[in-house]
Amino acid sequence: MNIKISFITLKSRVKSNGETPIYCYLTSKREQIRFSTGLSLPLNIWDINKQKAKGNNNHSLIINKEIDDLKKKINSIQLKLIQNDENYTLADILNKF
């Protein structure tokens, strides 16, 4: 199963501190699942196309490292499921998170 990993912010979910949460979308041919990453940032420093924080300030660097770590963790879980020759769904990946 090929999985596309995407990160988005939702303008409709802006917090009282002016930051917007970052969500992760996992998509395969027949499924899509969304979960909160627990990360948030000001909307104006989010690069929609690159799906990363803009800039080289501490906050942006931390956010981008966390996003990279999440991608690695998702890919690692998927690889373990494949190695164990298991049939799996996106929900199975999320449950092992």
Side-chain angles (χ1 to χ4, degrees):
M1 168 190 317
N2 288 333
I3 295 176
K4 179 180 176 189
I5 304 169
S6 303
F7 293 90
I8 65 156
T9 58
L10 297 177
K11 292 178 185 178
S12 62
R13 304 269 175 142
V14 176
K15 298 178 178 183
S16 59
N17 65 0
E19 293 191 346
T20 184
I22 300 171
Y23 291 89
C24 179
Y25 275 85
L26 302 179
T27 308
S28 71
K29 288 183 181 179
R30 291 170 258 162
E31 291 183 86
Q32 182 175 359
I33 195 163
R34 176 182 85 184
F35 64 93
S36 175
T37 63
L39 305 169
S40 62
L41 76 171
L43 192 57
N44 65 334
I45 67 167
W46 182 249
D47 187 320
I48 295 171
N49 295 321
K50 293 182 181 177
Q51 299 178 11
K52 291 193 175 228
K54 299 175 193 172
N56 288 323
N57 60 58
N58 264 354
H59 189 61
S60 293
L61 294 174
I62 290 169
I63 293 290
N64 290 337
K65 181 177 180 343
E66 291 290 329
I67 288 172
D68 289 341
D69 289 348
L70 286 169
K71 286 179 187 177
K72 287 176 188 173
K73 188 171 182 179
I74 292 166
N75 288 327
S76 175
I77 291 169
Q78 182 184 20
L79 181 60
K80 287 178 186 174
L81 290 168
I82 290 169
Q83 288 173 340
N84 292 335
D85 202 26
E86 296 181 37
N87 289 329
Y88 60 93
T89 65
L90 295 178
D92 294 329
I93 292 173
L94 188 58
N95 288 336
K96 293 189 181 285
F97 212 67

